Amino acid sequence: MLSKPIRATLAVAAIVFSATCGAQAQDPQKFYQLQSVVELGGSGTSWDHIDYDQTKKLVYLSRRADGLTVVDANNGKVVANVANAKGTGSVAFAPKLDRGFTANTDGSTSVFKLSDFSPVDRISFGDNFDGVVYDEGTNILAYQQADNSRELLVDAATMKLATTIEVEGDQLERPTLDGKGNLYLPLRDKSAVYKIDLRAKKIVAHWDVSEKCTEPSGADYDAATDRLFLGCRGKQTNPQLVVVDGASGKTVASAPIGRGVDDVIFDPATKLIYTANGLDANVVVYKQGDGDKYSLSEAFSTRAGMRVMRLDTETKLIYGMTADYTVDPSKKNLAAISPFYPNRIFPDTFVMLTYGRGAPAK
C-alpha cells in the first residue's frame, strides 16, 4: 500500500497495473484514448499552462510568444487569439467581473473581457510573472513572481497591489486553492510548500516535504478530506504523487508516477487524481480510497511533451498541449531536467490534444 516503503509500493502498483491491463482487453471503453487533435500553428518557442472555462466549454492555451489562444471544446475550433496577451503563461477567470487575467513573462497582466475576449488593459507589476490564480471568496489574484521570490496579491476589482509576500527559492510553481481562502504554493527548488491565508494576506504555514517529495511541480486539493496532492519530479529518478494533510502538512501517502510531471488534477466526483508527465509521455491516474489509501486506476500514453492538462468535470475529457521539438546541441539545454530536454520547437507544430474514455468516434 502507499504508506509502506517505496519498494512495496512499487510492487503493489505493479500488481494493480497488471490487473488493469487485463481488464482493458475485456472492456476498452473504460480507458482513456486520444480522441482528437487540433492544429494550432504558431512560431513560438515554448508553452506553459492550459486553463478551462467549465461553464462555456472553452480551452485557454497559454503559448507565451504566440499569446493566448481560445478553443471551443465542443467543436475544436479556435474562437479567439486574445489581443495584447503576448508572453502569457497562464490565465485566471473572474466571471462575476467578466474579466480574464493573464500572467505574462514580462511581469505584466493582460486584462480582457470573458464575454467577447476584447482587451481591457495591460498592467505591469514588475519584470517577470510565472502564473496566476483567482480566489473568488477574497476577490484576490495571486501572481507568482519566481525570479524575485515573491507572491503578489492583487485586488481583482481595482487591480491594485494588496501585498507582496516574500518567499524562499526562485522556482514557484502553480498553486492551488482550498475554497476557504487559503492558497498552497509549491516551491520546486526548495521541496517545500507555503500555505498562505489570502484574507490575512500572510504565510500561515511552511512545510518541508522533501522526505517524500522533491521538486514539487504541480498541485491540487480535495476539500472533502483536506488533502493536498503534489506532483513531485524527484530529480526525475523517483517521481512521486505525494498526499499531504492540508492542516498539519504531514505526508500521509505517496505513489510512483512518470517523469516530468507538471499538472496534477483531482476530480471530486470520481475520486481520481491525474498527473501529466511530459518526459515519459503519459498520464498516471490514481483512485482515492478510504483511510488515505490510493490505488492505480490506469496509466495512458500521450504525445511526448504533454506536461499540462485540464479536465472537463462533466464529460471527463482531458485537454493537453504539446509541440514537435528536438535537442539542438548548439543551444543551452536544461540538463537538470533531462540530458535531452527539448530546446528547439519546430514552427507550426503546436497541437491541442483531447483524451477521453473509449475509442474515438469515426
Side-chain angles (χ1 to χ4, degrees), residues 94-176:
K96 291 182 179 180
L97 301 175
D98 187 29
R99 292 292 183 268
F101 307 89
T102 69
N104 303 326
T105 52
D106 64 358
S108 68
T109 181
S110 299
V111 185
F112 63 95
K113 291 183 180 180
L114 294 175
S115 54
D116 61 8
F117 315 112
S118 61
V120 175
D121 204 352
R122 183 163 176 145
I123 306 166
S124 179
F125 286 96
D127 56 8
N128 71 93
F129 271 154
D130 294 85
V132 59
V133 294
Y134 172 70
D135 181 65
E136 186 175 36
T138 60
N139 207 36
I140 289 291
L141 290 160
Y143 291 88
Q144 292 75 64
Q145 200 174 58
D147 290 351
N148 302 105
S149 303
R150 295 171 179 167
E151 185 76 5
L152 272 59
L153 305 185
V154 175
D155 185 300
T158 64
M159 291 310 293
K160 300 296 184 183
L161 179 65
T163 193
T164 298
I165 298 175
E166 304 287 339
V167 298
E168 297 179 355
D170 57 9
Q171 293 180 343
L172 284 62
E173 294 294 341
R174 192 179 205 181
T176 189

Side-chain angles (χ1 to χ4, degrees), residues 203-276:
I203 296 169
V204 293
H206 178 199
W207 300 323
D208 182 344
V209 294
S210 60
E211 183 178 358
K212 291 288 186 179
C213 175
T214 53
E215 300 182 325
S217 300
D220 207 352
Y221 176 82
D222 175 24
T225 61
D226 195 16
R227 291 295 181 259
L228 175 66
F229 304 110
L230 298 174
C232 311
R233 293 185 180 178
K235 300 189 183 298
Q236 310 303 359
T237 59
N238 185 33
Q240 296 280 306
L241 170 68
V242 170
V243 186
V244 173
D245 185 305
S248 68
K250 178 184 177 182
T251 296
V252 297
S254 63
I257 57 174
R259 295 175 302 151
V261 63
D262 208 331
D263 272 339
V264 176
I265 295 175
F266 173 70
D267 182 4
T270 61
K271 304 293 184 181
L272 293 177
I273 307 116
Y274 302 78
T275 66

Side-chain angles (χ1 to χ4, degrees), residues 26-196:
Q26 300 172 13
D27 189 3
Q29 297 302 315
K30 291 175 59 178
F31 296 90
Y32 275 92
Q33 298 181 49
L34 179 64
Q35 304 295 313
S36 65
V37 179
V38 177
E39 296 183 358
L40 301 171
S43 58
T45 58
S46 65
W47 68 94
D48 210 345
H49 289 291
I50 292 177
D51 295 279
Y52 189 60
D53 186 330
Q54 180 71 49
T55 302
K56 296 181 179 180
K57 305 289 186 181
L58 296 175
V59 187
Y60 287 75
L61 305 138
S62 296
R63 299 193 292 147
R64 292 182 175 146
D66 287 311
L68 181 61
T69 302
V70 187
V71 176
D72 186 333
N74 293 308
N75 56 28
K77 303 294 185 182
V78 174
V79 295
N81 286 290
V82 177
N84 201 25
K86 184 176 181 180
T88 184
S90 68
V91 61
F93 311 124
K96 291 182 179 180
L97 301 175
D98 187 29
R99 292 292 183 268
F101 307 89
T102 69
N104 303 326
T105 52
D106 64 358
S108 68
T109 181
S110 299
V111 185
F112 63 95
K113 291 183 180 180
L114 294 175
S115 54
D116 61 8
F117 315 112
S118 61
V120 175
D121 204 352
R122 183 163 176 145
I123 306 166
S124 179
F125 286 96
D127 56 8
N128 71 93
F129 271 154
D130 294 85
V132 59
V133 294
Y134 172 70
D135 181 65
E136 186 175 36
T138 60
N139 207 36
I140 289 291
L141 290 160
Y143 291 88
Q144 292 75 64
Q145 200 174 58
D147 290 351
N148 302 105
S149 303
R150 295 171 179 167
E151 185 76 5
L152 272 59
L153 305 185
V154 175
D155 185 300
T158 64
M159 291 310 293
K160 300 296 184 183
L161 179 65
T163 193
T164 298
I165 298 175
E166 304 287 339
V167 298
E168 297 179 355
D170 57 9
Q171 293 180 343
L172 284 62
E173 294 294 341
R174 192 179 205 181
T176 189
L177 302 160
D178 67 359
K180 297 175 285 189
N182 296 305
L183 175 144
Y184 297 92
L185 175 66
L187 278 76
R188 177 155 51 95
D189 55 335
K190 297 298 181 181
S191 296
V193 175
Y194 281 110
K195 183 177 181 178
I196 298 174

